[in-house]
Amino acid sequence: GNSVTQMEGPVTLSEEAFLTINCTYTATGYPSLFWYVQYPGEGLQLLLKATKADDKGSNKGFEATYRKETTSFHLEKGSVQVSDSAVYFCALTTTGANSKLTFGKGITLSVRP
Amino acid sequence: DADVTQTPRNRITKTGKRIMLECSQTKGHDRMYWYRQDPGLGLRLIYYSFDVKDINKGEISDGYSVSRQAQAKFSLSLESAIPNQTALYFCATASSYNEQFFGPGTRLTVL
């Protein structure tokens, strides 16, 4: 079956620090990969996605590259802001899954001024 | 106006009570989902529906039921609420292109 593993949290960084959040996956078939973000008190929003190997998804300064050889989709940002404080979820779906998403457990990021 | 709305946003109830959570969407999507979120567990799928006549169980459907009243409406019911159903519940919709759109969530507390 499908599964997503995220690094343990929470993560606390100072403003302008570099961010990496690790995500690895196990999937049957050819997955599409996603990062969702949940700001305090809100639902999840799609942050970025990649649908095939070596694709790079990017949005709001965040990037993630679909690495088939390491089954990874790590999220990075060069300079975080206080407004990036949120919970981040890695997720995947596969061709036969009819849009059903498999989520990682999520990681809480707090950015200090 | 929000594309995916959920009512109520917060609910406190007692063990044994019947509870209904409602979800409406204006995105015109056929696919709708109900998830629960628990700290440290991420989101887990309860039920999903691909059209009005299609209802499917997710990974944690026990103790829950759903109704797809129309393309735009998908309700989740707890027939007899219990304390371990205390959680944050999310409704989501999707087109055939895999991206899901989430509602703001309903925080349910069962005493």
Side-chain angles (χ1 to χ4, degrees), chain A residues 6 31-32 34 36 38 41-47 49 51 87 89 93-95 97-106, chain B residues 9 31 33 35 37-38 40-45 48 50 57 59 88 90 94-105:
Chain A
Q6 291 185 233
S32 295
F34 305 85
Y36 280 83
Q38 183 182 26
E42 298 184 12
L44 279 72
Q45 303 172 24
L46 180 66
L47 180 59
K49 66 179 180 182
T51 58
V87 182
F89 294 92
T93 188
T94 51
T95 306
N98 293 319
S99 300
K100 286 190 296 177
L101 286 168
T102 299
F103 285 90
K105 294 183 178 182
Chain B
R9 294 294 312 278
R31 303 180 182 195
Y33 307 80
Y35 295 91
Q37 181 181 14
D38 299 276
L41 296 179
L43 274 76
R44 293 179 292 167
L45 183 63
Y48 62 102
F50 290 159
K57 293 183 178 180
E59 58 182 299
L88 191 53
F90 287 103
S95 68
S96 58
Y97 295 101
N98 293 334
E99 180 179 348
Q100 291 194 14
F101 297 85
F102 286 79

Side-chain angles (χ1 to χ4, degrees), chain B:
Chain B
D1 288 341
D3 294 321
V4 183
T5 57
Q6 293 184 233
T7 56
R9 294 294 312 278
N10 289 282
R11 181 72 184 268
I12 300 173
T13 191
K14 295 182 178 180
T15 296
K17 294 292 187 181
R18 184 179 187 274
I19 297 297
M20 179 179 286
L21 309 182
E22 299 188 354
C23 176
S24 295
Q25 53 114 345
T26 58
K27 300 192 73 67
H29 291 161
D30 289 326
R31 303 180 182 195
M32 298 187 74
Y33 307 80
W34 275 105
Y35 295 91
R36 65 176 280 175
Q37 181 181 14
D38 299 276
L41 296 179
L43 274 76
R44 293 179 292 167
L45 183 63
I46 306 172
Y47 271 96
Y48 62 102
S49 168
F50 290 159
D51 64 39
V52 174
K53 297 181 180 179
D54 178 77
I55 302 290
N56 304 279
K57 293 183 178 180
E59 58 182 299
I60 55 162
S61 58
D62 287 349
Y64 301 94
S65 62
V66 291
S67 173
R68 185 81 184 266
Q69 301 95 323
Q71 186 206 36
K73 296 184 181 295
F74 192 36
S75 300
L76 176 71
S77 293
L78 289 68
E79 297 300 326
S80 180
I82 56 176
N84 76 1
Q85 291 177 313
T86 293
L88 191 53
Y89 289 86
F90 287 103
C91 174
T93 73
S95 68
S96 58
Y97 295 101
N98 293 334
E99 180 179 348
Q100 291 194 14
F101 297 85
F102 286 79
T106 294
R107 185 168 296 281
L108 177 65
T109 302
V110 183
L111 301 176

Side-chain angles (χ1 to χ4, degrees), chain A residues 10-56:
Chain A
V11 173
T12 301
L13 295 173
S14 296
E15 203 164 28
E16 299 184 2
F18 183 83
L19 169 71
T20 299
I21 301 177
N22 290 341
C23 172
T24 57
Y25 66 89
T26 302
T28 55
Y30 301 95
S32 295
L33 302 173
F34 305 85
W35 276 101
Y36 280 83
V37 59
Q38 183 182 26
Y39 297 106
E42 298 184 12
L44 279 72
Q45 303 172 24
L46 180 66
L47 180 59
L48 53 84
K49 66 179 180 182
T51 58
K52 62 183 187 295
D54 299 324
D55 270 1
K56 178 184 284 187

